[in-house]
Amino acid sequence: MQLRGSDIIVECLIEQGADVLFGYPGGAVLNIYDSLYKYSDKIRHVLTSHEQHAGHAADGYARASGKTGVVLATSGPGATNLVTALATANMDSVPIVAITGNVSLDLLGLDSFQEVDITGITMPVTKHNFLVRDVNELADTIRKAFRIANSGRKGAVLIDVPKDITAALAEYEPAQLAFAEEHPQCNAVELQTAAELITSSKRPLIYAGGGVISSGAEAELAAFAEKLNAPVSCSLMGQGAYDQYDCKYIGMLGMHGTAAAAGIFKDCDLFIALGTRFSDRVTGCKKTFSENVKIIHIDIDEAEHGKNVPADLKIAGDLKGILAALNAQLPQKQNPAWLARAGGLHATYKAVQTGTAKLPVTPMAVLEKLDELTQGRAIITTEVGQNQMWAAMYYRNRETRTFLSSGGLGTMGFGLGAAIGAKIAKPEKTVVNVAGDGSFGMNLNELVTLSKYQIPVIQLVLNNSVLGMVRQWQRIFYDARFSQTTLDRPLDYKKLAEAFGIKCFIIEKTEETEPVLKAALELNEPVLVECRIDRDINVLPMVPPGADITKPILEV
């Protein structure tokens, strides 16, 4: 059958399993929005206040659901507003497909109104991108985009469609869902070598990254940890890959990892890295990180092997299949003394909280109470900075795809859009966005999106009136010269919430924490919670950049 290009786009989105997309209309995508009007009974569109947050919403939707997120924006500034969201998703290996409009083919390259070379701009921050010049190639291009986004190491793909392509007619034939390309499996020799290293190890440490979640290997990881009877640490991207209520879990490793994880890493004889890229925030000094321990690195992306840290054994392939094969080969290990040491360190250092709290409520206590009230089963999205680290340290995620945070790019303003996408993907889950007041200033306009669609997200703002993480660095490394990090904005959060038509609660005292959080959790509507905390509370432990991660700062 013959369809307009814009109808082909929507048909292909539905064909590829998309049931919702996030976006913002404009001149170059008018034909696509006209088609969305016609297909509104088959696919939902969520209008945000800004294209960047539409991209973050698609990202949050993908992280929470495991499906591909879809975002739509117009040409020029609409497309460039997506760049940060695309870079954020791509750095964290999240599958999203972005569709942008552009000027007609005959106007490309002429500095036409709202024209921009978005494929050139996004080439470094996407897994792949396309400029569609022939309407007959449109359907196959969309199918390729979904396949690429989900194959191997997942990522962001952009499709740029000139306006005349969306108006042109072409034959359309429905096709099946574009399955991800199969990835190579590791060989038996590598598996045998890994099994031998693990069996001979006396003090193994399992380190789980975001690749565990991407591959759906959470059950295999749990069985692996049980087989080894070994302590488990998760990266920021791996939060929720392992039940953090389990006694074997010792917290994050790295710059703001737990002192227990640092101590266990120092003493381990085998470091088993699963689906992680060894970020500089994890390794600190790369020389000292790898000089006294054997490392097995299992990751689907061969480009990560040896890029940051040398490994004694590098295995490329699907983590779910590799762990299942290892579990079948490995004998049951008993490490009572090693596990007892891990548990002892965790208990000793769990209460490390720092700073001189002049105000009576701390972010640690608020997040621990939130964890208690939700039993670690809410979806937590975060902004970036102290709020992000406190959430990772003091909220114990028990389930996969429940901690959504910008790990690689560190994007302030990510969390609220991600929370919108996550709640739409998982309406049955409690969703809380944890923010600092600095990050919240970058996306508070999306409260109107929550209000318009009545999306029951809890927006928790840890308000210390400063840019907390940058101020912390200024305190430690710049002799407390607080240059432009003191905000002290005259913002009335209650009036702001009222302006957007949502409720607001305020926590000023410790005894208010539980009743306020309970009230917010019981509301089936969007709500803003302001928690007023002291500006001098620090995130500790902390390892200075490039320093030995086994020697964290515990006190400032």
Side-chain angles (χ1 to χ4, degrees):
M1 55 181 171
Q2 276 212 331
L3 295 177
R4 287 192 312 168
S6 58
D7 290 337
I8 291 173
I9 290 172
V10 181
E11 285 276 2
C12 282
L13 291 178
I14 296 167
E15 166 196 292
Q16 295 305 308
D19 53 7
V20 63
L21 74 159
F22 305 86
Y24 204 94
V29 288
L30 278 174
N31 292 329
I32 302 174
Y33 272 88
D34 190 52
S35 293
L36 285 170
Y37 185 87
K38 290 195 304 182
Y39 287 84
S40 60
D41 61 329
K42 295 182 180 179
I43 188 168
R44 179 185 180 188
H45 180 278
V46 176
L47 177 67
T48 59
S49 294
H50 192 283
E51 290 92 351
Q52 179 179 334
H53 303 137
H56 293 324
D59 183 331
Y61 176 91
R63 295 188 200 223
S65 67
K67 297 173 65 177
T68 306
V70 182
V71 61
L72 173 62
T74 193
S75 63
T80 56
N81 282 344
L82 282 182
V83 173
T84 298
L86 290 170
T88 300
N90 205 56
M91 282 280 279
D92 289 346
S93 306
V94 178
I96 69 170
V97 171
I99 298 172
T100 53
N102 213 327
V103 298
S104 298
L105 286 169
D106 61 333
L107 296 176
L108 286 175
L110 302 178
D111 292 332
S112 304
F113 177 68
Q114 290 196 330
E115 179 203 357
V116 73
D117 178 13
I118 194 62
T119 52
I121 290 169
T122 60
M123 189 176 293
V125 297
T126 56
K127 189 175 179 184
H128 198 80
N129 62 30
F130 300 91
L131 171 61
V132 180
R133 294 180 176 272
D134 183 346
V135 69
N136 295 298
E137 298 175 356
L138 181 57
D140 283 345
T141 299
I142 293 170
R143 291 161 187 153
K144 284 179 187 175
F146 274 83
R147 186 168 63 250
I148 291 169
N150 284 282
S151 295
R153 181 175 178 173
K154 299 175 183 183
V157 179
L158 177 133
I159 309 167
D160 194 35
V161 189
K163 188 172 183 179
D164 52 341
I165 298 296
T166 66
L169 292 171
E171 287 293 326
Y172 170 75
E173 291 185 14
Q176 294 182 337
L177 186 69
F179 291 101
E181 294 174 2
E182 291 188 7
H183 29 69
Q185 297 298 314
C186 68
N187 60 51
V189 175
E190 290 174 333
L191 281 175
Q192 182 61 35
T193 304
E196 289 170 359
L197 282 170
I198 294 167
T199 302
S200 62
S201 167
K202 303 296 183 186
R203 300 181 305 280
L205 171 59
I206 300 168
Y207 185 67
V212 175
I213 298 170
S214 293
S215 67
E218 298 86 353
E220 288 76 12
L221 170 62
F224 187 63
E226 195 66 31
K227 204 76 178 268
L228 270 61
N229 246 319
V232 179
S233 172
C234 289
S235 72
L236 187 72
M237 293 304 303
Q239 297 293 297
Y242 189 82
D243 183 354
Q244 295 179 3
Y245 276 47
D246 187 88
C247 63
K248 291 188 285 298
Y249 186 69
I250 58 168
M252 288 195 304
L253 182 70
M255 177 174 283
H256 291 294
T258 64
I264 287 297
F265 175 73
K266 182 179 180 180
D267 293 341
C268 77
D269 62 4
L270 181 65
F271 187 76
I272 307 166
L274 308 174
T276 184
R277 61 188 180 86
F278 289 110
S279 160
D280 59 291
R281 287 295 206 251
V282 171
T283 62
C285 176
K286 294 176 183 177
K287 181 178 182 298
T288 59
F289 185 89
S290 57
E291 65 182 0
N292 295 317
V293 63
K294 288 184 178 180
I295 296 175
I296 298 174
H297 188 192
I298 305 174
D299 198 277
I300 199 167
D301 186 359
E302 290 186 74
E304 294 298 339
H305 288 155
K307 186 177 83 173
N308 291 320
V309 169
D312 297 87
L313 177 62
K314 301 180 282 286
I315 302 178
D318 173 46
L319 193 56
K320 185 179 179 72
I322 292 169
L323 284 179
L326 279 173
N327 287 337
Q329 289 190 32
L330 289 168
Q332 180 64 50
K333 290 176 68 72
Q334 301 295 333
N335 294 302
W338 179 233
L339 269 182
R341 171 159 172 71
L345 282 173
H346 198 38
T348 301
Y349 290 116
K350 184 178 183 295
V352 172
Q353 299 177 359
T354 61
T356 305
K358 301 181 184 71
L359 296 181
V361 63
T362 68
M364 302 84 166
V366 171
L367 288 162
E368 286 178 335
K369 181 57 67 174
L370 180 64
D371 172 40
E372 177 190 320
L373 293 174
T374 59
Q375 293 295 296
R377 299 190 187 279
I379 292 177
I380 302 297
T381 66
T382 81
E383 303 298 342
V384 169
Q386 289 181 320
N387 67 88
Q388 179 186 35
M389 294 298 106
W390 283 324
M393 293 164 74
Y394 294 97
Y395 190 93
R396 298 173 297 166
N397 295 86
R398 304 196 67 181
E399 299 173 347
T400 188
R401 299 191 178 277
T402 56
F403 185 85
L404 317 183
S405 190
S406 173
L409 198 63
T411 304
M412 291 177 69
F414 166 81
L416 187 49
I420 290 169
K423 186 63 180 180
I424 288 171
K426 296 288 184 179
E428 73 282 4
K429 299 288 287 185
T430 297
V431 177
V432 182
N433 181 46
V434 180
D437 51 307
S439 287
F440 183 60
M442 295 187 175
N443 61 21
L444 58 83
N445 53 327
E446 292 304 333
L447 289 179
V448 78
T449 307
L450 293 183
S451 182
K452 175 185 176 180
Y453 294 103
Q454 280 298 290
I455 303 170
V457 164
I458 298 172
Q459 171 62 67
L460 173 62
V461 182
L462 302 173
N463 182 12
N464 55 12
S465 296
V466 295
L467 295 177
M469 186 62 85
V470 185
R471 179 186 171 90
Q472 178 173 325
W473 280 51
Q474 288 175 337
R475 176 186 300 281
I476 297 172
F477 304 119
Y478 293 86
D479 295 326
R481 294 187 296 274
F482 300 128
S483 177
Q484 301 303 315
T485 52
T486 303
L487 300 177
D488 286 335
R489 291 168 175 162
L491 174 59
D492 186 322
Y493 282 77
K494 192 171 280 289
K495 288 182 179 177
L496 176 73
E498 289 172 357
F500 286 116
I502 65 176
K503 288 185 174 65
C504 177
F505 299 117
I506 297 174
I507 300 173
E508 293 186 275
K509 302 174 184 177
T510 301
E511 57 266 28
E512 295 171 343
T513 302
E514 183 168 351
V516 165
L517 291 178
K518 277 185 174 179
L521 289 165
E522 287 168 2
L523 282 175
N524 190 32
E525 60 186 73
V527 59
L528 172 63
V529 177
E530 178 196 5
C531 178
R532 296 172 181 170
I533 63 171
D534 193 81
R535 64 185 56 187
D536 291 321
I537 301 177
N538 298 304
V539 174
L540 292 181
M542 179 181 183
V543 178
D548 187 337
I549 65 161
T550 67
K551 300 174 182 178
I553 298 170
L554 301 179
E555 190 175 12
V556 175

